[in-house]
Protein backbone atom coordinates (compact mmCIF):
# COMPACT_ATOMS: atom_id res chain seq x y z
CA UNK A 1 0.00 0.00 0.00
CA UNK A 2 1.35 3.44 -0.86
CA UNK A 3 0.43 6.68 0.86
CA UNK A 4 1.61 9.05 -1.84
CA UNK A 5 -0.75 11.29 -3.76
CA UNK A 6 0.38 13.19 -6.87
CA UNK A 7 0.23 16.93 -6.18
CA UNK A 8 -1.81 17.62 -9.31
CA UNK A 9 -4.57 15.30 -8.08
CA UNK A 10 -4.92 16.74 -4.56
CA UNK A 11 -7.88 18.92 -5.42
CA UNK A 12 -9.54 16.12 -7.34
CA UNK A 13 -9.26 13.75 -4.38
CA UNK A 14 -10.44 16.34 -1.87
CA UNK A 15 -13.61 17.22 -3.74
CA UNK A 16 -14.50 13.57 -4.34
CA UNK A 17 -14.26 12.80 -0.62
CA UNK A 18 -16.66 15.13 1.18
CA UNK A 19 -15.41 14.18 4.66
CA UNK A 20 -11.87 14.94 3.53
CA UNK A 21 -13.11 18.29 2.20
CA UNK A 22 -14.53 19.12 5.64
CA UNK A 23 -11.26 18.07 7.25
CA UNK A 24 -9.11 20.19 4.95
CA UNK A 25 -11.49 23.13 5.39
CA UNK A 26 -11.28 22.86 9.19
CA UNK A 27 -7.47 22.96 9.11
CA UNK A 28 -7.45 25.80 6.56
CA UNK A 29 -9.79 27.94 8.69
CA UNK A 30 -7.75 27.06 11.77
CA UNK A 31 -4.48 28.10 10.15
CA UNK A 32 -5.88 31.28 8.63
CA UNK A 33 -8.23 32.66 11.26
CA UNK A 34 -7.88 30.84 14.59
CA UNK A 35 -5.07 30.27 17.12
CA UNK A 36 -3.78 27.40 19.29
CA UNK A 37 -5.27 28.56 22.61
CA UNK A 38 -7.73 31.44 22.08
CA UNK A 39 -8.65 33.32 25.25
CA UNK A 40 -12.10 34.12 23.91
CA UNK A 41 -13.31 31.45 21.45
CA UNK A 42 -15.55 32.97 18.79
CA UNK A 43 -17.65 31.90 15.83
CA UNK A 44 -14.46 30.88 14.03
CA UNK A 45 -13.73 28.16 16.61
CA UNK A 46 -17.40 27.11 16.58
CA UNK A 47 -17.24 26.73 12.79
CA UNK A 48 -14.06 24.62 13.07
CA UNK A 49 -15.80 22.41 15.64
CA UNK A 50 -18.77 21.90 13.32
CA UNK A 51 -16.43 20.93 10.47
CA UNK A 52 -14.65 18.38 12.68
CA UNK A 53 -17.98 16.93 13.78
CA UNK A 54 -18.94 16.56 10.12
CA UNK A 55 -15.63 14.76 9.49
CA UNK A 56 -16.47 12.28 12.24
CA UNK A 57 -20.05 12.02 11.03
CA UNK A 58 -19.14 8.86 9.12
CA UNK A 59 -18.48 7.21 12.45
CA UNK A 60 -14.85 6.07 12.13
CA UNK A 61 -13.77 7.99 15.19
CA UNK A 62 -16.75 7.00 17.30
CA UNK A 63 -16.49 3.36 16.24
CA UNK A 64 -12.85 3.29 17.32
CA UNK A 65 -13.88 4.73 20.67
CA UNK A 66 -16.89 2.58 21.46
CA UNK A 67 -16.35 -0.74 19.70
CA UNK A 68 -15.24 -2.81 22.69
CA UNK A 69 -15.79 -6.06 20.77
CA UNK A 70 -12.52 -5.27 18.94
CA UNK A 71 -10.59 -4.50 22.12
CA UNK A 72 -8.20 -7.44 21.61
CA UNK A 73 -7.23 -6.09 18.18
CA UNK A 74 -6.36 -2.63 19.43
CA UNK A 75 -2.72 -1.58 19.59
CA UNK A 76 -0.96 -0.69 22.83
CA UNK A 77 -1.24 3.06 22.31
CA UNK A 78 -4.99 2.72 21.61
CA UNK A 79 -5.57 0.75 24.80
CA UNK A 80 -3.54 3.26 26.80
CA UNK A 81 -5.39 6.20 25.26
CA UNK A 82 -8.80 4.59 25.79
CA UNK A 83 -8.01 4.15 29.47
CA UNK A 84 -6.80 7.75 29.72
CA UNK A 85 -9.81 9.11 27.83
CA UNK A 86 -12.46 7.41 29.95
CA UNK A 87 -10.61 8.35 33.12
CA UNK A 88 -10.25 11.96 31.97
CA UNK A 89 -13.92 12.49 31.16
CA UNK A 90 -15.07 11.03 34.47
CA UNK A 91 -12.89 11.27 37.61
CA UNK A 92 -11.36 14.76 37.03
CA UNK A 93 -14.86 16.05 36.29
CA UNK A 94 -16.11 14.67 39.61
CA UNK A 95 -13.10 16.15 41.39
CA UNK A 96 -13.74 19.51 39.70
CA UNK A 97 -17.29 19.53 41.05
CA UNK A 98 -15.99 18.45 44.48
CA UNK A 99 -13.54 21.39 44.51
CA UNK A 100 -16.14 23.87 43.13
CA UNK A 101 -14.23 24.52 39.92
CA UNK A 102 -15.37 27.31 37.60
CA UNK A 103 -17.46 25.92 34.75
CA UNK A 104 -15.75 27.89 31.91
CA UNK A 105 -12.28 26.73 33.04
CA UNK A 106 -13.52 23.15 33.43
CA UNK A 107 -14.84 23.21 29.86
CA UNK A 108 -11.62 24.76 28.60
CA UNK A 109 -9.55 22.05 30.29
CA UNK A 110 -11.82 19.33 28.91
CA UNK A 111 -11.41 20.69 25.38
CA UNK A 112 -7.63 20.64 25.80
CA UNK A 113 -7.85 17.07 27.07
CA UNK A 114 -9.89 16.02 24.02
CA UNK A 115 -7.15 17.53 21.83
CA UNK A 116 -4.64 15.33 23.67
CA UNK A 117 -6.83 12.35 22.75
CA UNK A 118 -7.26 13.47 19.11
CA UNK A 119 -5.64 10.35 17.53
CA UNK A 120 -8.44 8.23 18.97
CA UNK A 121 -10.95 10.08 16.81
CA UNK A 122 -9.04 11.31 13.76
CA UNK A 123 -6.42 8.65 12.99
CA UNK A 124 -8.91 5.99 11.78
CA UNK A 125 -10.31 8.58 9.36
CA UNK A 126 -6.85 9.48 8.03
CA UNK A 127 -5.73 5.87 7.56
CA UNK A 128 -8.96 4.61 6.02
CA UNK A 129 -7.91 5.71 2.51
CA UNK A 130 -4.41 5.98 1.11
CA UNK A 131 -4.86 9.47 -0.30
CA UNK A 132 -5.70 11.09 3.05
CA UNK A 133 -2.26 10.70 4.63
CA UNK A 134 -0.37 12.91 2.15
CA UNK A 135 -3.12 15.51 2.17
CA UNK A 136 -3.09 15.52 5.98
CA UNK A 137 0.69 16.07 6.00
CA UNK A 138 0.35 18.91 3.50
CA UNK A 139 -2.38 20.56 5.60
CA UNK A 140 -0.27 20.34 8.76
CA UNK A 141 2.63 22.05 6.98
CA UNK A 142 0.22 24.69 5.68
CA UNK A 143 -1.05 25.49 9.18
CA UNK A 144 2.50 25.83 10.54
CA UNK A 145 3.62 28.06 7.68
CA UNK A 146 0.50 30.20 7.74
CA UNK A 147 0.81 30.75 11.48
CA UNK A 148 4.35 31.98 10.76
CA UNK A 149 3.15 34.29 7.99
CA UNK A 150 0.53 35.73 10.33
CA UNK A 151 3.21 36.47 12.93
CA UNK A 152 5.41 38.20 10.35
CA UNK A 153 2.63 40.19 8.65
CA UNK A 154 0.21 41.18 11.40
CA UNK A 155 -0.53 44.45 9.59
CA UNK A 156 -3.00 42.55 7.41
CA UNK A 157 -6.27 43.69 8.94
CA UNK A 158 -8.20 40.51 8.13
CA UNK A 159 -5.60 38.51 10.10
CA UNK A 160 -5.35 40.76 13.14
CA UNK A 161 -8.89 41.47 14.28
CA UNK A 162 -8.31 39.97 17.72
CA UNK A 163 -6.59 42.04 20.39
CA UNK A 164 -5.65 39.01 22.54
CA UNK A 165 -2.23 37.37 22.41
CA UNK A 166 -2.39 34.53 19.90
CA UNK A 167 0.94 32.81 20.67
CA UNK A 168 1.15 31.63 17.07
CA UNK A 169 4.95 31.42 17.05
CA UNK A 170 4.80 29.02 20.03
CA UNK A 171 2.72 26.53 18.08
CA UNK A 172 4.22 23.02 17.77
CA UNK A 173 3.17 23.15 14.11
CA UNK A 174 5.40 26.19 13.44
CA UNK A 175 8.32 24.26 14.91
CA UNK A 176 7.31 21.17 12.93
CA UNK A 177 7.24 23.09 9.64
CA UNK A 178 10.68 24.57 10.40
CA UNK A 179 12.23 21.21 11.25
CA UNK A 180 10.52 19.53 8.29
CA UNK A 181 12.02 21.89 5.70
CA UNK A 182 15.42 21.97 7.45
CA UNK A 183 15.44 18.16 7.45
CA UNK A 184 14.25 18.13 3.85
CA UNK A 185 17.19 20.32 2.79
CA UNK A 186 19.72 18.15 4.63
CA UNK A 187 18.29 14.92 3.20
CA UNK A 188 18.09 16.40 -0.29
CA UNK A 189 21.73 17.50 -0.19
CA UNK A 190 22.73 13.83 -0.20
CA UNK A 191 21.29 13.44 -3.70
CA UNK A 192 23.06 14.31 -6.95
CA UNK A 193 23.18 18.11 -7.22
CA UNK A 194 21.67 19.02 -10.58
CA UNK A 195 19.67 22.11 -11.53
CA UNK A 196 16.36 20.61 -10.41
CA UNK A 197 17.67 19.58 -7.00
CA UNK A 198 19.41 22.92 -6.58
CA UNK A 199 16.18 24.84 -7.18
CA UNK A 200 14.24 22.53 -4.85
CA UNK A 201 16.85 23.01 -2.10
CA UNK A 202 16.87 26.80 -2.49
CA UNK A 203 13.07 26.84 -2.36
CA UNK A 204 13.01 24.73 0.78
CA UNK A 205 15.60 26.99 2.45
CA UNK A 206 13.54 30.08 1.64
CA UNK A 207 10.39 28.44 3.00
CA UNK A 208 12.14 27.35 6.21
CA UNK A 209 13.20 30.95 6.88
CA UNK A 210 9.54 31.99 7.37
CA UNK A 211 8.81 29.90 10.48
CA UNK A 212 12.33 30.48 11.86
CA UNK A 213 11.82 34.24 11.58
CA UNK A 214 8.44 33.94 13.32
CA UNK A 215 9.98 31.93 16.17
CA UNK A 216 12.74 34.50 16.52
CA UNK A 217 10.22 37.30 17.08
CA UNK A 218 8.88 35.52 20.18
CA UNK A 219 12.23 34.00 21.09
CA UNK A 220 11.96 30.42 22.33
CA UNK A 221 15.30 28.85 23.24
CA UNK A 222 14.06 25.27 23.10
CA UNK A 223 12.89 25.67 19.49
CA UNK A 224 16.27 26.88 18.25
CA UNK A 225 18.04 24.21 20.28
CA UNK A 226 15.79 21.67 18.55
CA UNK A 227 16.90 22.96 15.13
CA UNK A 228 20.55 22.51 16.09
CA UNK A 229 19.91 19.00 17.43
CA UNK A 230 18.07 17.99 14.25
CA UNK A 231 21.00 19.15 12.09
CA UNK A 232 23.41 17.16 14.26
CA UNK A 233 21.11 14.12 14.22
CA UNK A 234 20.78 13.96 10.44
CA UNK A 235 24.49 14.57 9.91
CA UNK A 236 25.39 12.02 12.56
CA UNK A 237 23.19 9.32 11.03
CA UNK A 238 24.48 10.21 7.57
CA UNK A 239 28.12 9.91 8.64
CA UNK A 240 27.45 6.53 10.28
CA UNK A 241 25.72 5.15 7.19
CA UNK A 242 27.85 6.75 4.46
CA UNK A 243 30.71 9.08 5.50
CA UNK A 244 31.82 9.87 1.94
CA UNK A 245 28.30 10.81 0.88
CA UNK A 246 28.12 13.44 3.65
CA UNK A 247 31.20 15.40 2.51
CA UNK A 248 29.32 17.48 -0.06
CA UNK A 249 26.38 18.28 2.28
CA UNK A 250 28.91 19.30 4.95
CA UNK A 251 30.52 21.77 2.53
CA UNK A 252 27.11 23.21 1.54
CA UNK A 253 25.92 23.56 5.15
CA UNK A 254 29.21 25.20 6.12
CA UNK A 255 28.75 27.66 3.25
CA UNK A 256 25.20 28.44 4.37
CA UNK A 257 26.53 28.92 7.90
CA UNK A 258 29.09 31.43 6.66
CA UNK A 259 26.49 33.36 4.66
CA UNK A 260 24.10 33.56 7.62
CA UNK A 261 26.78 33.84 10.30
CA UNK A 262 25.56 37.26 11.56
CA UNK A 263 22.06 35.87 12.13
CA UNK A 264 23.42 32.70 13.75
CA UNK A 265 25.64 34.69 16.10
CA UNK A 266 22.65 36.88 16.95
CA UNK A 267 20.62 33.79 17.87
CA UNK A 268 23.46 32.38 20.01
CA UNK A 269 23.86 35.72 21.76
CA UNK A 270 20.11 35.96 22.38
CA UNK A 271 20.09 32.48 23.90
CA UNK A 272 22.99 33.41 26.18
CA UNK A 273 21.42 36.70 27.26
CA UNK A 274 18.00 35.19 27.96
CA UNK A 275 19.53 32.29 29.87
CA UNK A 276 21.60 34.66 32.02
CA UNK A 277 18.52 36.80 32.73
CA UNK A 278 15.81 34.18 33.38
CA UNK A 279 17.63 30.87 33.71
CA UNK A 280 15.09 28.04 33.28
CA UNK A 281 12.09 30.36 33.79
CA UNK A 282 11.31 28.94 37.26
CA UNK A 283 10.30 25.56 35.85
CA UNK A 284 11.76 23.66 38.81
CA UNK A 285 9.94 25.96 41.26
CA UNK A 286 6.73 25.36 39.31
CA UNK A 287 7.18 21.60 39.74
CA UNK A 288 7.63 22.16 43.49
CA UNK A 289 4.49 24.30 43.72
CA UNK A 290 2.37 21.71 41.90
CA UNK A 291 3.75 18.90 44.06
CA UNK A 292 2.99 20.81 47.25
CA UNK A 293 -0.59 21.38 46.08
CA UNK A 294 -0.95 17.70 45.19
CA UNK A 295 0.14 16.77 48.71
CA UNK A 296 -2.76 18.67 50.29
CA UNK A 297 -4.60 15.39 50.79
CA UNK A 298 -4.28 11.71 49.80
CA UNK A 299 -7.33 12.15 47.55
CA UNK A 300 -5.86 15.10 45.65
CA UNK A 301 -2.53 13.28 45.31
CA UNK A 302 -4.20 10.22 43.85
CA UNK A 303 -7.00 11.77 41.76
CA UNK A 304 -5.96 15.42 41.42
CA UNK A 305 -7.93 18.61 41.96
CA UNK A 306 -9.97 18.14 38.79
CA UNK A 307 -10.37 20.15 35.62
CA UNK A 308 -10.51 23.87 36.32
CA UNK A 309 -8.05 23.73 39.21
CA UNK A 310 -5.86 26.78 39.86
CA UNK A 311 -2.54 27.23 41.61
CA UNK A 312 -0.08 30.02 42.37
CA UNK A 313 2.64 29.67 39.74
CA UNK A 314 6.20 30.92 40.35
CA UNK A 315 6.76 30.70 36.57
CA UNK A 316 4.37 33.62 35.91
CA UNK A 317 5.30 35.92 38.77
CA UNK A 318 3.11 34.30 41.42
CA UNK A 319 -0.17 34.72 39.53
CA UNK A 320 -3.02 32.28 40.14
CA UNK A 321 -3.40 30.34 36.88
CA UNK A 322 -5.09 27.19 35.62
CA UNK A 323 -2.18 25.82 33.58
CA UNK A 324 1.45 24.80 34.00
CA UNK A 325 4.37 24.84 31.57
CA UNK A 326 4.62 21.06 31.42
CA UNK A 327 2.06 18.46 30.44
CA UNK A 328 3.33 16.27 33.29
CA UNK A 329 2.77 18.83 36.07
CA UNK A 330 -0.55 19.80 34.48
CA UNK A 331 -1.84 16.22 34.57
CA UNK A 332 -0.55 15.76 38.13
CA UNK A 333 -2.39 18.89 39.25
CA UNK A 334 -5.65 18.13 37.46
CA UNK A 335 -5.83 14.31 37.40
CA UNK A 336 -3.48 13.14 40.14
CA UNK A 337 -0.98 10.31 40.09
CA UNK A 338 -3.52 8.02 38.39
CA UNK A 339 -4.06 10.39 35.48
CA UNK A 340 -0.35 11.18 35.27
CA UNK A 341 0.47 7.47 35.16
CA UNK A 342 -2.04 6.82 32.36
CA UNK A 343 -0.67 9.84 30.46
CA UNK A 344 2.91 8.60 30.77
CA UNK A 345 1.96 5.16 29.44
CA UNK A 346 0.20 6.72 26.44
CA UNK A 347 3.08 9.10 25.74
CA UNK A 348 5.65 6.32 26.09
CA UNK A 349 4.12 4.33 23.23
CA UNK A 350 4.10 7.42 21.00
CA UNK A 351 7.64 8.36 22.06
CA UNK A 352 8.77 4.87 21.12
CA UNK A 353 7.36 5.33 17.62
CA UNK A 354 8.83 8.85 17.28
CA UNK A 355 12.33 7.64 18.19
CA UNK A 356 12.08 4.77 15.71
CA UNK A 357 11.03 7.20 12.98
CA UNK A 358 14.17 9.31 13.59
CA UNK A 359 16.25 6.34 12.44
CA UNK A 360 14.09 4.84 9.69
CA UNK A 361 12.35 8.00 8.39
CA UNK A 362 14.81 10.80 9.30
CA UNK A 363 12.98 13.62 7.53
CA UNK A 364 9.62 13.24 9.27
CA UNK A 365 11.00 11.66 12.44
CA UNK A 366 13.35 14.56 13.20
CA UNK A 367 10.61 17.06 12.36
CA UNK A 368 8.14 15.42 14.76
CA UNK A 369 10.10 14.34 17.82
CA UNK A 370 10.84 17.81 19.22
CA UNK A 371 7.31 19.25 18.77
CA UNK A 372 6.27 16.11 20.67
CA UNK A 373 8.82 16.39 23.52
CA UNK A 374 9.00 20.14 24.20
CA UNK A 375 5.35 20.64 25.32
CA UNK A 376 5.68 17.66 27.66
CA UNK A 377 8.50 19.38 29.55
CA UNK A 378 8.67 23.11 28.85
CA UNK A 379 5.70 24.82 27.13
CA UNK A 380 1.95 24.93 27.70
CA UNK A 381 1.15 24.19 24.04
CA UNK A 382 0.02 20.66 25.01
CA UNK A 383 -3.49 22.12 25.49
CA UNK A 384 -3.78 23.11 21.84
CA UNK A 385 -5.23 21.38 18.81
CA UNK A 386 -1.69 21.60 17.38
CA UNK A 387 -0.34 19.09 19.89
CA UNK A 388 -3.10 16.62 19.14
CA UNK A 389 -2.25 17.00 15.45
CA UNK A 390 1.44 16.26 16.19
CA UNK A 391 0.48 13.09 18.09
CA UNK A 392 -1.82 12.03 15.25
CA UNK A 393 0.85 12.68 12.63
CA UNK A 394 3.44 10.58 14.49
CA UNK A 395 1.04 7.65 14.53
CA UNK A 396 0.08 8.22 10.88
CA UNK A 397 3.72 8.30 9.71
CA UNK A 398 4.44 5.17 11.73
CA UNK A 399 1.48 3.44 10.06
CA UNK A 400 2.75 4.57 6.65
CA UNK A 401 6.23 3.16 7.28
CA UNK A 402 4.84 -0.14 8.54
CA UNK A 403 2.57 -0.38 5.50
CA UNK A 404 5.44 0.26 3.10
CA UNK A 405 7.53 -2.41 4.80
CA UNK A 406 4.70 -4.95 4.54
CA UNK A 407 4.32 -4.17 0.83
CA UNK A 408 8.04 -4.59 0.30
CA UNK A 409 8.09 -7.94 2.11
CA UNK A 410 5.07 -9.16 0.15
CA UNK A 411 6.80 -8.35 -3.13
CA UNK A 412 9.90 -10.38 -2.27
Amino acid sequence: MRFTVPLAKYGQYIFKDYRLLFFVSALAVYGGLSSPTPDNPSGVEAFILVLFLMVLGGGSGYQSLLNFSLIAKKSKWELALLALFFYGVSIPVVMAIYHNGAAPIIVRDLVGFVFLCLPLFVLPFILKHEKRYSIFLGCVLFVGLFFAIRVLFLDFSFLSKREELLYLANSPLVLFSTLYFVSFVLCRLKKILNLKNFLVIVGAILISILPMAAMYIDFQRASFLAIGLVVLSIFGLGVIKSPIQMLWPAVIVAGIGVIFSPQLMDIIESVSVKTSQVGLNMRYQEWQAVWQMALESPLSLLLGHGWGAHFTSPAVGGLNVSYTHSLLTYMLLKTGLVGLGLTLIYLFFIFEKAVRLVFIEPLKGNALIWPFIIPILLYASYKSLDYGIVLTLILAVDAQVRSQRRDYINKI
Side-chain angles (χ1 to χ4, degrees):
M1 183 187 300
R2 294 174 59 223
F3 283 86
T4 56
V5 181
L7 182 62
K9 297 183 179 180
Y10 273 15
Q12 170 188 337
Y13 284 130
I14 292 171
F15 285 101
K16 283 186 177 180
D17 184 346
Y18 73 92
R19 291 176 62 204
L20 182 60
L21 178 60
F22 293 143
F23 187 64
V24 171
S25 300
L27 292 178
V29 174
Y30 178 63
L33 298 174
S34 187
S35 67
T37 52
D39 294 330
N40 301 294
S42 64
V44 172
E45 284 72 37
F47 182 57
I48 294 171
L49 174 62
V50 170
L51 289 173
F52 270 114
L53 291 175
M54 295 173 76
V55 170
L56 297 177
S60 62
Y62 302 121
Q63 289 169 7
S64 173
L65 182 64
L66 300 174
N67 194 346
F68 291 99
S69 64
L70 299 177
I71 197 76
K73 297 182 179 180
K74 294 185 181 297
S75 60
K76 293 177 182 178
W77 74 264
E78 285 180 294
L79 294 174
L81 183 50
L82 275 171
L84 175 62
F85 177 79
F86 284 111
Y87 176 84
V89 296
S90 56
I91 301 302
V93 175
V94 174
M95 294 303 294
I97 296 171
Y98 175 75
H99 287 283
N100 297 315
I105 308 300
I106 294 173
V107 172
R108 190 179 184 86
D109 285 350
L110 271 171
V111 170
F113 176 71
V114 171
F115 290 156
L116 186 67
C117 302
L118 192 68
L120 201 62
F121 301 94
V122 175
L123 189 66
F125 162 77
I126 294 170
L127 298 181
K128 190 171 183 179
H129 298 297
E130 296 178 8
K131 60 183 177 292
R132 290 177 179 170
Y133 165 80
S134 293
I135 294 174
F136 175 52
L137 175 60
C139 288
V140 174
L141 288 170
F142 163 82
V143 174
L145 291 174
F146 212 82
F147 275 176
I149 291 171
R150 289 170 62 187
V151 171
L152 297 173
F153 301 101
L154 284 177
D155 288 338
F156 287 14
S157 60
F158 72 102
L159 295 178
S160 57
K161 291 180 180 178
R162 301 184 183 194
E163 296 180 358
E164 65 189 65
L165 296 174
L166 300 181
Y167 300 107
L168 298 177
N170 293 350
S171 165
L173 300 188
V174 174
L175 177 59
F176 167 72
S177 64
T178 305
L179 297 178
Y180 183 90
F181 286 104
V182 169
S183 301
F184 177 85
V185 169
L186 295 174
C187 293
R188 195 83 181 191
L189 283 173
K190 293 186 287 186
K191 298 180 179 292
I192 297 174
L193 190 62
N194 52 32
L195 179 60
K196 178 182 177 182
N197 277 340
F198 175 77
L199 294 176
V200 169
I201 289 169
V202 170
I205 292 173
L206 294 176
I207 292 174
S208 68
I209 290 173
L210 288 173
M212 277 193 279
M215 290 191 301
Y216 186 75
I217 289 177
D218 187 9
F219 195 79
Q220 300 292 335
R221 289 168 291 172
S223 298
F224 285 97
L225 179 61
I227 295 172
L229 291 173
V230 164
V231 173
L232 291 175
S233 171
I234 292 178
F235 263 100
L237 289 174
V239 169
I240 292 171
K241 292 180 180 179
S242 179
I244 302 299
Q245 192 181 32
M246 294 304 296
L247 291 176
W248 179 242
V251 171
I252 298 294
V253 171
I256 294 173
V258 170
I259 294 172
F260 291 98
S261 58
Q263 289 78 12
L264 293 175
M265 292 305 298
D266 191 30
I267 291 172
I268 293 171
E269 183 180 354
S270 298
V271 170
S272 301
V273 169
K274 188 170 182 179
T275 301
S276 66
Q277 291 176 342
V278 301
L280 296 177
N281 285 335
M282 305 290 286
R283 295 300 192 260
Y284 176 70
Q285 290 79 0
E286 185 179 68
W287 270 91
Q288 288 181 313
V290 171
W291 181 245
Q292 288 302 316
M293 189 168 175
L295 290 176
E296 287 182 357
S297 71
L299 187 63
S300 63
L301 178 62
L302 190 64
L303 303 179
H305 286 76
W307 304 125
H310 289 71
F311 83 113
T312 301
S313 174
V316 290
L319 295 177
N320 196 260
V321 294
S322 62
Y323 66 91
T324 74
H325 290 85
S326 162
L327 173 58
L328 304 183
T329 51
Y330 176 82
M331 295 304 287
L332 175 61
L333 174 68
K334 309 277 183 169
T335 67
L337 288 176
V338 175
L340 176 60
L342 292 172
T343 302
L344 285 171
I345 295 170
Y346 165 49
L347 294 176
F348 170 78
F349 290 127
I350 298 185
F351 176 71
E352 184 183 37
K353 295 178 186 298
V355 171
R356 185 167 59 246
L357 289 174
V358 169
F359 293 96
I360 62 178
E361 185 74 22
L363 195 164
K364 300 183 183 74
N366 279 286
L368 284 165
I369 192 164
W370 294 111
F372 166 72
I373 290 176
I374 289 174
I376 295 175
L377 301 175
L378 297 172
Y379 296 163
S381 49
Y382 55 81
K383 294 183 67 175
S384 66
L385 174 61
D386 304 42
Y387 195 62
I389 290 174
V390 168
L391 299 179
T392 304
L393 190 54
I394 291 172
L395 294 166
V397 174
D398 179 72
Q400 176 210 22
V401 170
R402 290 176 183 273
S403 176
Q404 289 176 339
R405 286 192 168 189
R406 284 195 299 270
D407 286 351
Y408 177 75
I409 292 171
N410 292 335
K411 289 178 182 179
I412 297 176

